[in-house]
């Protein structure tokens, strides 16, 4: 395993949730389809050593010094209401990023 990704969405997202499983799906486009307007996001980034459960998930030995890269993204509408919470955990020794985020 190289990465783990989790997304938490409000109840109103349920009707299009199956579309998230399709290749090339875009959570922001689906929000717009539902009449929500994502306008901004905040991200928190941490680099830390794996917990015991993360060591099992990523198949790391107890003495492996490789840290994990953890990103938490909160997406908001124009009024500041939260629309989504996303988590990404990646083995830091395999992570490279070149992302352009446009809401």
């Amino acid at each position: 395993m190289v990465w783990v990704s989790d997304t938490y969405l409000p109840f109103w997202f349920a009707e299009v949730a199956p579309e998230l499983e399709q290749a090339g799906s875009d959570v922001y486009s689906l929000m717009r389809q539902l009449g929500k307007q994502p306008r901004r996001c905040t991200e928190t980034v941490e680099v830390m050593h794996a917990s015991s459960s993360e060591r099992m998930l990523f198949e790391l030995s107890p003495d492996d010094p490789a840290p994990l890269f953890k990103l938490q993204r909160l997406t908001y509408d124009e009024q500041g209401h939260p629309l989504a919470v996303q988590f990404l955990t990646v083995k830091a020794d395999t992570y490279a990023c070149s992302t352009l985020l446009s809401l």
Side-chain angles (χ1 to χ4, degrees):
M1 173 125 19
V2 176
W3 57 271
V4 175
S5 177
D6 290 313
T7 300
Y8 296 90
L9 300 161
F11 69 93
W12 48 258
F13 207 86
E15 68 183 80
V16 295
E19 293 182 44
L20 281 176
E21 301 298 323
Q22 298 176 6
S25 68
D26 177 8
V27 70
Y28 302 112
S29 294
L30 292 173
M31 285 179 189
R32 287 185 196 93
Q33 181 179 321
L34 292 168
K36 305 298 180 181
Q37 298 303 317
R39 289 292 183 237
R40 66 180 181 89
C41 67
T42 59
E43 293 184 345
T44 303
V45 177
E46 296 179 296
V47 177
M48 57 183 31
H49 292 288
S51 66
S52 56
S53 60
E54 290 168 332
R55 288 188 177 282
M56 289 189 319
L57 275 173
F58 289 99
E59 300 177 351
L60 299 171
S61 67
D63 60 344
D64 190 329
L68 296 179
F69 176 88
K70 295 184 175 194
L71 182 132
Q72 177 187 14
R73 177 182 294 147
L74 298 164
T75 304
Y76 303 93
D77 65 12
E78 291 175 328
Q79 291 77 34
H81 301 115
L83 298 177
V85 180
Q86 297 166 296
F87 299 92
L88 176 65
T89 303
V90 184
K91 285 175 56 178
D93 60 345
T94 61
Y95 184 76
C97 179
S98 60
T99 301
L100 173 61
L101 177 64
S102 62
L103 301 178

